[in-house]
Structures are given as structure tokens and as C-alpha cells.
């Protein structure tokens, strides 16, 4: 390989690293500035921009022919970096942002829609330029499509890791500013030494972009949307901010803490105890946990007896051993110690919160994470529990439902592996015979009075008990709520009459509302009882207006409880939060992308009248769709296996992109030994095996220790199929170029990009409705079709 091609590969790899890093970082910023599920817009906008970039390169093919390659590429690097920083300015200073909390809900919804629309349009610009730069190089290096495309994929793999490192070092905004300057600096790799003035311009612009960090807070203010708790916090209350690749965490002083009940979820109306001083902890301006100020003053912690999630201690054995999943600011730990727990395993997934509780604010909390009775774990709760052979008197999850995507938020919605049938089986298996599972969750019925989250939690626990061989699961559950929070207690053995009476007396004393008790019917909660009495549970689920069926690891979308037929019904939104939920965004995106694809098809026909090749279009569409469907499915399934979203994002995406890059690099050599259609059929066969056997195999291997072994297994699991997938694009592109259709590559690139974004949206739609097994089967079908449509050019 000559120095010229090697230099161009280095340039494209560096540039592509910046492209993928910017996607991942923007996802995290969107999660803060908007809502978690809007992070999905970043991936859609990026791939849409790539498609438009390909279309524009084809449209302006005659003009681009007359420009030197280095000039076009270096200009593209500068333009993409500058456009990205301008998009950040629009994102953080959007004129449609609503700051007044007294604004009507309809106005907030309208302006949030305009804010999202204007931000997305602005973000299309840098990604359009990025897509155009990549395609232009592929066209100019038609004899080396495989190596050049390999550099693109390998660079993207490095960008995945770079995004995590940069966000952990400086947070979302600083990371994106740094990436913007890196995109500009990539122009030096292509312009030096022939275009020294251009190289100098790249350095100057990159320095200017970096200088914006001196005015970071004024230039790029991170503002919260209406509905998030952050809108009520004044700057004088803020004490600390830490922003990592997992989340942004803000610590602030609670005002009027003597009377303010916020964070003391469901505090009994009968409470007469003084409320303690405390700090609020916000995750991405939304999810909340509390740090109590420690005191040895008598009666200081008496208020804990008036919180519904701690009513369980009235029926638990003395000195219980317990596990707390989602220990957060330590209030559940403090309650456990207050009520006499002999030992507590406390699990917290967020490294920022873990550091705060073990270092920055350890003294404030009374070193609760380092108490002799406490063993604190940094990790994902289910993974920590699964890897242990301990059994407990109590397993507690109090509001561990941040309504958030995993760290791979660009490729996911609100999946949560803590609320699945398999997860509940793990909880029950780690309880002692007399053990108790305690779950605190939102109550929040619909505006028409139908229970949603509470009923789904109830149905999930009932079904999990049934799966354990328990014939009458309703005898093992007690359910009550206080204000907007419900507490479900689940036992491995039936509740005794004495325990039921004790809990009933608790509800009367604390003015809680009982939703379900095993010894009598509560007519105001007939939905719970009608489910229990229904002889055909599936028919009952089908008839209920919301999706309250038990989620599984194959479809872990616990929070997506609206049925597709009602997603635009305003009465079904999550009251008090946002009218734009995940499924609404998905369907709207899918419709928008179908319209955009239609425009692409019409435009392609107009430009390619003499050279129309519908079969080629379908080929690139199928491999784009199939690749993204498989990538999303792999990323989701291995979150559970690797035990932490950080590992899933870094290991899964890095492996898929890196090995696909290697497959692209060796695509010519591979194609000489195996026909490409046969390679595609092998990929489809692997997907079929993965669909039917992948999840059971992953679940069986999940207990492997240490982590490095699981990472190695994941890499071996992803490597071979990713290598084969990587040869699909360059081999078809090479045949296309050899047949004299180089200029048409822009259309093929556009179809591939549009298919990728459709695939990303469709993957989640299918997964919510039918599970990731079906997603993988659809990916399998896409590669079978691609084998049929593979171009037969000489």
C-alpha cells in the first residue's frame, strides 16, 4: 500500500472518529437538555444527514470533478467542525426554549416541538457535510474502496472509546467542543504539506473553537426543559456538578427542607416528625435521590417510619440481612440501619454518585456507604446479585427507574433489565424462605383512571411467582400507595393473616391507600383483582387499554406501556411530565423517514434516468437496514451480559465497528475465496442462530467472572459475524465502480444511510412489540434479500 492511500486512510479514520464521538456525546447532551428518549433523535438526524450528503455529492458530481481532492476534503473538515459548534450554540441557546414554569402545557408542548425541530435541522448540517466527505473520498479512491471504508469503520470504533474518555474527563459540552476542534484539525492530515495555508487555517480555527471553553457557561448554557425538577433550582443552591459518559449529576441544597417533602416519596399525611436537612441529587436534571444530613440527635430519623417504602420493616424478622439495588444518596441504607439491619449490600450503578457518597459528601451523610454494617458495590444491581451466592431477608428497589436509556442511548430507548421476568426470578432465588422483595414505583394512573405502572409491576410480580411454581401468587403480594408512589411487597411464602393485618393497620395509621390484599377484594382497585381472577391472562392483557404484560429480557421496555394504537392519545401521556414519550417519537420519526425515503427515490429516478438500477438500490438498502437491526439487537442483549452500560457501549460498538473495518479491509481477498452472496447467507444463518439461541446462551454465561473474561467472550461472539458484515459494502461498491457507475455511488450511499436510520427506528418499534428475537430475524431476512440483490457487474 502506497503512502498516499495510507495517509488518506489515516485522515478518514481520524475524521470518522470525530463523527461517531459527536453522535454519542450529543446523545448525552440531548438527554439533559430535553428528555432521555429524545437522544434517539441524534442517531436519526446523523444518518439522515449522511444520506443527504450522499445525495448532494451525486447531484453536484460534475462540479466536484473539477476540484482537487485535498481541497475538498480539508474544506469539508473545517466546515463540519464549525457547523458542529454552531449546532451546539443553537442547542443550548434555542430561542424556542420555554423558561417560564407558568406557561400552559399546550404552549410548552408546541415550543418544545419547535425547539426540537430547529435543533435537528441545525444538526443535519454538520452530519450532511460529514457524510459527503466520507463518500467523496470513497469515490475518488475507487480502486481502494475496501481499505478506505475500513478506515472509516475503524475510526468510528476509536471514536466510540474517545467519546467515553472525553465525557468522563470534561462532561458533555466540553467533550463536544473538543471533538469539533478535532474534526477541523483532521484537515491537516490531508492538506499538509502541499497546502500549508489551509493547514494553518485548520489550526487557527481549532484554537478559536477551543477558546470558547473559557466562556463555556455563558456560550453554552445547559437549560432544563419544563417538567424536570432542575427548573425549580436557583443557581445559588448548586453545590457541585459532575458529568460523565453515564449521566450528568448535580448536587444542590434543598430549600425549606423543614417543610419541603420533595424526595421523601409518598411521605405519610400523618407525619408529625421534623424533616431533616438534606441535599438533592439530580441525574440528567430529572432522576432524583436524597442525601440526608447525619445526626445523632434522638428522634432525628423518626420521620423514616412515615415513608411507605419502610413500612415493610413491621413484618420483617429482627436484624435482617438485605440488599438494596439503587442505593443512591443512601436514604434506604440509613433506614435499614435505623430499623436494625445486621448487614446491607448496597449497589449503585452511577460512578459519580458512588464517589460523592464515599468521598465528597461522605461526612455529610455520616459515612453511610462506609458503615461497618454496609458493603457498597459500584455496578449494575442485577449483575451484582447474579454473581453472588448470598441469600437475603430483604431485597429492596426503591424507585430504581430513572426513565432513562442506557449509555448506548443513541441506540436504545427506555429499556430496563431490572424489571423483567428473568430479573424477578433472580430476586426470588436470592431470598430466604421467609424473605421479602420490596419495590417502590410510581402510581400515576391515566387521566381516565386506569392504573398503568403500578398494574404492570403487579402483573410482573404475579407472573414471576407463577413461573417459580407458585400456584396462588396473589397470596404472596400486598400492594398499597401513598400519594404518587406505590409499594409492592412480595414474599416467597404466603402472607400470614397476622402480617396482612399488620400491614392493613399500617395503611390506616399512615393514611395510605391499599391497592391489593390477598384476603379480601378492594372494589376501588378492581383492575388488580380482575387480572388475578382472569382464567386467560393473555386475553386479559389484550383487552386492557395499556400494555401491562410482564416484560422479558427479550423485550425489556418496562416503561413503554402504551399500545401502538393509542400513542397519539393525549389522555395516555405520563401525567405531569411530557407529552412527547418514546413511542410517539418513534412513530413520528418512522413516518418522517418514510417520507424522506420517498423523496429520495423520486429524486434518484430523476437523476438516474439513463442509469437506473433498482436492484442495486435495494441491495444497499438491505445491507444498511440489516446492519443497523443487528447492531441495535447486539447492543441491547449484551448490556445484560457485560453488566454495565459503559461496557456495552464500548465493547459492543467498538467490536462491531472494528471487525467490520477489518472485514472491509480484507474484502477483496475474502471475495476471491467465497462469493459475496454466500458470505451474506452465512451472516443471515448466524443471525438466525442468534435469534433462537443467543439470549439463553448469553444468560447462561452471564455469571462468568472476572469481567475481562466476559469482555473476551463478547468480542469473540461479535468478531466473526462483524468481519463478514464488513465486506458487504466495499465489494458491491467496487463492482459498481468497475462498471463505470462511480458517480451513482452517492445514490447508493444515500440509500444505505436512509436504510440505516430506518433500521435503527424499526428495531426499537419491533422490539417493543415483539422482542429482539424478531429484530434479529428481520436482520436475517435483510441479508438474505441482499444476497439476491447483489450486483452482478463484471
Amino acid at each position: 500500500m502506497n503512502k498516499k492511500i495510507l495517509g488518506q486512510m489515516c485522515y478518514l479514520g481520524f475524521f470518522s472518529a470525530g463523527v461517531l464521538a459527536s453522535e454519542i456525546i450529543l446523545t448525552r447532551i440531548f438527554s439533559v437538555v430535553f428528555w432521555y428518549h429524545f437522544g434517539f433523535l441524534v442517531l436519526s438526524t446523523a444518518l439522515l444527514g449522511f444520506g443527504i450528503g450522499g445525495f448532494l455529492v451525486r447531484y453536484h458530481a460534475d462540479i466536484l470533478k473539477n476540484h482537487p481532492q485535498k481541497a475538498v476534503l480539508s474544506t469539508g473538515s473545517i466546515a463540519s467542525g464549525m457547523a458542529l459548534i454552531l449546532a451546539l450554540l443553537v442547542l443550548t441557546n434555542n430561542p424556542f426554549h420555554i423558561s417560564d414554569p407558568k406557561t400552559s402545557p399546550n404552549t410548552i408542548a408546541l415550543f418544545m416541538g419547535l425547539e426540537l425541530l430547529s435543533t435537528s435541522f441545525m444538526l443535519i448540517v454538520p452530519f450532511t457535510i460529514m457524510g459527503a466527505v466520507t463518500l467523496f473520498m470513497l469515490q475518488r479512491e475507487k480502486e481502494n474502496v475496501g481499505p478506505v471504508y475500513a478506515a472509516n469503520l475503524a475510526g468510528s470504533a476509536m471514536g466510540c472509546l474517545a467519546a467515553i474518555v472525553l465525557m468522563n474527563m470534561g462532561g458533555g459540552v466540553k467533550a463536544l467542543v473538543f471533538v469539533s476542534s478535532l474534526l477541523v484539525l483532521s484537515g491537516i492530515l490531508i492538506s499538509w504539506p502541499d497546502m500549508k495555508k489551509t493547514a494553518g487555517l485548520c489550526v487557527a480555527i481549532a484554537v478559536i473553537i477551543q477558546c470558547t471553553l473559557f466562556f463555556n457557561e455563558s456560550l453554552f448554557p445547559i437549560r432544563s426543559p419544563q417538567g424536570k425538577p432542575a427548573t425549580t433550582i436557583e443557581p445559588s443552591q448548586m453545590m457541585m456538578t459532575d458529568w460523565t459518559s453515564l449521566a450528568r449529576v448535580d448536587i444542590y441544597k434543598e430549600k425549606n427542607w423543614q417543610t419541603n417533602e420533595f424526595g421523601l416519596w409518598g411521605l405519610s399525611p400523618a407525619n408529625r416528625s421534623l424533616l431533616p436537612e438534606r441535599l438533592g441529587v439530580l441525574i440528567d436534571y430529572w432522576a432524583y435521590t436524597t442525601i440526608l444530613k447525619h445526626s445523632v440527635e434522638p428522634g432525628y430519623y423518626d420521620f423514616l417510619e412515615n415513608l411507605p417504602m419502610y413500612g415493610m420493616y413491621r413484618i420483617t424478622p429482627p436484624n435482617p440481612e438485605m440488599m438494596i439495588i439503587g442505593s443512591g444518596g443512601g436514604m434506604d441504607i440509613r433506614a435499614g440501619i435505623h430499623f436494625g439491619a445486621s448487614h446491607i449490600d448496597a449497589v449503585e450503578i452511577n460512578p459519580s454518585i458512588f464517589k460523592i457518597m464515599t468521598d465528597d459528601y461522605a461526612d455529610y451523610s455520616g459515612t453511610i456507604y462506609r458503615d461497618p454494617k454496609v458493603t457498597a458495590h459500584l455496578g449494575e444491581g442485577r449483575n451484582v446479585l447474579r454473581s453472588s451466592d448470598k441469600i437475603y431477608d430483604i431485597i429492596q428497589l426503591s424507585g430504581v427507574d430513572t426513565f432513562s436509556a442506557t449509555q448506548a442511548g443513541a441506540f436504545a430507548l427506555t429499556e430496563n433489565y431490572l424489571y423483567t421476568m428473568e430479573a424477578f426470578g433472580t430476586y426470588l432465588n436470592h431470598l430466604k424462605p421467609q424473605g421479602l422483595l420490596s419495590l417502590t414505583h410510581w402510581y400515576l394512573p391515566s387521566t381516565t383512571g386506569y392504573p398503568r405502572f403500578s398494574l404492570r409491576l403487579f402483573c410482573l410480580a404475579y407472573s414471576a411467582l407463577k413461573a417459580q411454581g407458585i400456584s396462588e401468587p396473589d397470596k404472596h403480594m400486598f400492594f398499597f400507595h401513598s400519594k404518587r408512589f406505590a409499594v409492592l411487597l412480595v414474599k416467597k411464602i404466603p402472607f400470614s393473616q397476622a402480617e396482612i393485618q399488620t400491614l392493613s393497620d399500617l395503611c390506616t395509621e399512615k393514611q395510605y391507600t391499599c391497592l391489593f390484599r390477598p384476603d379480601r377484594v378492594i372494589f376501588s382497585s378492581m383492575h388488580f383483582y380482575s387480572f388475578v381472577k382472569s382464567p386467560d391472562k393473555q386475553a386479559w392483557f389484550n383487552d386492557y387499554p395499556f400494555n401491562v404484560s410482564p416484560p422479558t429480557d427479550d423485550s425489556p421496555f418496562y416503561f413503554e406501556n402504551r399500545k401502538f394504537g393509542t400513542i397519539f392519545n393525549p389522555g395516555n401521556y405520563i401525567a405531569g411530565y411530557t407529552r412527547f414519550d418514546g413511542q410517539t417519537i418513534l412513530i413520528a420519526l418512522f413516518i418522517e423517514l418514510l417520507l424522506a425515503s420517498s423523496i429520495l427515490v423520486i429524486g434518484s429516478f430523476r437523476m438516474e434516468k439513463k442509469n437506473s438500477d433498482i436492484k442495486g438500490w435495494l441491495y444497499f438498502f438491505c445491507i444498511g437496514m440489516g446492519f443497523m437491526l443487528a447492531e441495535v439487537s447486539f447492543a441491547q442483549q449484551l448490556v445484560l451480559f457485560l453488566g454495565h452500560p459503559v461496557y456495552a457501549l464500548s465493547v459492543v460498538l467498538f467490536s462491531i465497528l472494528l471487525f467490520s473495518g477489518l472485514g472491509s479491509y480484507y474484502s477483496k481477498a475474502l471475495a476471491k475465496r467465497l462469493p459475496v452472496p454466500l458470505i451474506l447467507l452465512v451472516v443471515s444463518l448466524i443471525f438466525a442462530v442468534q435469534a433462537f439461541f443467543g439470549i439463553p446462551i448469553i444468560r447462561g454465561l452471564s455469571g462468568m467472572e472476572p469481567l475481562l473474561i466476559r469482555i473476551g467472550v463478547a468480542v469473540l461472539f461479535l468478531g466473526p459475524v462483524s468481519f463478514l458484515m464488513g465486506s458487504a459494502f466495499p465489494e458491491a461498491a467496487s463492482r459498481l465502480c468497475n462498471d463505470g457507475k462511480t458517480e451513482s455511488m452517492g445514490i447508493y450511499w444515500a440509500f444505505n444511510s436512509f436504510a440505516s436510520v430506518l433500521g435503527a427506528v424499526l428495531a426499537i418499534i419491533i422490539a417493543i412489540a415483539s422482542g429482539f428475537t424478531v429484530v434479529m430475524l428481520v436482520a436475517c431476512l435483510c441479508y438474505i434479500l441482499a444476497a439476491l440483490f447483489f450486483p452482478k457487474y463484471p
Side-chain angles (χ1 to χ4, degrees), residues 624-686:
M625 175 77 75
F627 189 98
M628 189 55 68
L629 288 168
E631 184 177 88
V632 171
S633 188
F634 281 134
Q636 296 304 315
Q637 293 177 19
L638 290 175
V639 166
L640 185 61
F641 174 65
L642 294 170
H644 200 289
V646 173
Y647 308 140
L649 180 65
S650 55
V651 174
V652 175
L653 293 187
F654 177 81
S655 298
I656 290 175
L657 291 169
L658 181 63
F659 282 98
S660 294
L662 289 172
S664 179
Y665 187 85
Y666 291 105
S667 58
K668 278 189 177 181
L670 184 62
K672 289 178 181 178
R673 291 170 173 79
L674 289 174
V676 175
L678 180 58
I679 294 173
L680 297 174
L681 290 175
V682 171
V683 170
S684 68
L685 177 61
I686 294 173

Side-chain angles (χ1 to χ4, degrees), residues 503-531:
L503 292 172
S504 177
D505 292 344
L506 169 75
C507 291
T508 302
E509 176 189 340
K510 304 299 182 183
Q511 299 179 35
Y512 301 150
T513 301
C514 192
L515 293 172
F516 183 90
R517 52 187 293 173
D519 62 336
R520 69 182 66 167
V521 174
I522 302 171
F523 290 98
S524 59
S525 303
M526 278 306 298
H527 295 296
F528 297 90
Y529 292 91
S530 67
F531 167 73

Side-chain angles (χ1 to χ4, degrees), residues 68 73 152 246 283 336 482 550 656 753 765 767 770:
L73 295 176
N152 169 247
L246 187 65
I283 300 104
S482 177
I656 290 175
S753 298
I765 292 175
S770 305

